[in-house]
Amino acid sequence: GYYDTALLTLDTEHGPPDAAPVIAQLTEAKLHKLVFGVGVSTDSGARLSLDHQYNRLPWLGWRASSKISVDRDTQLASSEWVSLPNDENWRRFGAGQLQRDNYSSYAVNSLQLRGGVSQVSGHIDRNFFLQYDSATPHGSGAPDASGALSANMGWTGRYFDDPNSPTRGYGLGAELGLGSTLRGQRNPFARTRLRWQSVIALGKVAVGADGAQ
């Protein structure tokens, strides 16, 4: 996302061909990117959205991806900040989200804050983060306010024959979170999630000389 184009070529005119230097020609992406969205849903009516990407925050140098979305039932504002990877491909990140959900007799204002580190290394993704959640309902019949703080870890493995257009293989993801509620009685909790995706080839398409399949 930091570059619009990347062109790699070999300099075969200088030195032996088996040790030719690689020349990288890059075109940097623009510092700011804005995307406007307009939509409509039979459930929540008209929807407006605005996405903004800032590739280099002042002082930090991190990338910020922010979003505002508004429809009849939900209003959301979120922002995620991600650092450049270090030598071992670890990135630091922080994220925040404010959301208001409107129900038939009451509304819920929620806040989520998250911060941690993540790594993409080959076919393996890892992330470790702390997360704070808070929900404050308002109106008739609204439930009690709630909040929680948790420590989380996630792992994803991709085992496909082709990362872009797989024809066979599988992907596996696992998440684990341990935490405690913060409002009212303090109750510890655990959260787990497993995901699996398989790609199975059903056959091959043969094209003859006359173009028939």
Side-chain angles (χ1 to χ4, degrees):
Y2 290 98
Y3 302 99
D4 284 335
T5 60
L7 176 64
L8 301 179
T9 57
L10 290 175
D11 183 5
T12 57
E13 297 181 357
H14 303 88
D18 58 348
V22 177
I23 301 174
Q25 295 174 299
L26 305 173
T27 302
E28 289 193 16
K30 293 183 178 180
L31 190 62
H32 295 273
K33 180 180 179 181
L34 278 173
V35 178
F36 297 92
V38 179
V40 63
S41 169
T42 57
D43 295 330
S44 55
R47 180 179 65 257
L48 298 175
S49 65
L50 171 65
D51 293 83
H52 176 245
Q53 183 168 289
Y54 192 0
N55 272 339
R56 192 170 63 249
L57 287 172
W59 301 293
L60 284 177
W62 293 17
R63 173 193 287 168
S65 299
S66 305
K67 180 177 182 177
I68 296 175
S69 177
V70 177
D71 62 30
R72 183 183 62 204
D73 296 332
T74 303
Q75 296 82 48
L76 178 146
S78 64
S79 185
E80 182 178 30
W81 299 3
V82 181
S83 72
L84 289 168
N86 62 15
D87 293 340
E88 296 180 347
N89 219 29
W90 284 98
R91 297 174 183 262
R92 292 172 290 169
F93 67 89
Q97 176 177 293
L98 286 171
Q99 183 168 322
R100 181 179 176 86
D101 295 289
N102 299 304
Y103 299 98
S104 58
S105 61
Y106 65 90
V108 178
N109 296 329
S110 60
L111 168 67
Q112 183 182 90
L113 300 175
R114 176 185 293 189
V117 294
S118 64
Q119 181 194 49
V120 178
S121 179
H123 63 280
I124 301 294
D125 297 355
R126 301 177 179 88
N127 60 82
F128 304 89
F129 60 93
L130 293 175
Q131 181 170 306
Y132 170 75
D133 292 279
S134 174
T136 306
H138 301 277
S140 175
D144 296 333
S146 61
L149 180 65
S150 61
N152 304 267
M153 63 176 294
W155 179 93
T156 301
R158 297 175 298 274
Y159 303 92
F160 300 102
D161 59 343
D162 188 295
N164 298 316
S165 301
T167 59
R168 64 184 74 243
Y170 64 93
L172 176 65
E175 297 179 15
L176 173 64
L178 301 175
S180 174
T181 59
L182 299 177
R183 298 184 182 181
Q185 186 177 358
R186 301 294 178 89
N187 294 317
F189 65 87
R191 180 183 65 87
T192 60
R193 183 183 183 188
L194 295 175
R195 294 175 296 148
W196 177 281
Q197 182 184 38
S198 294
V199 178
I200 302 174
L202 299 180
K204 295 182 177 180
V205 178
V207 181
D210 58 353
Q213 296 185 0

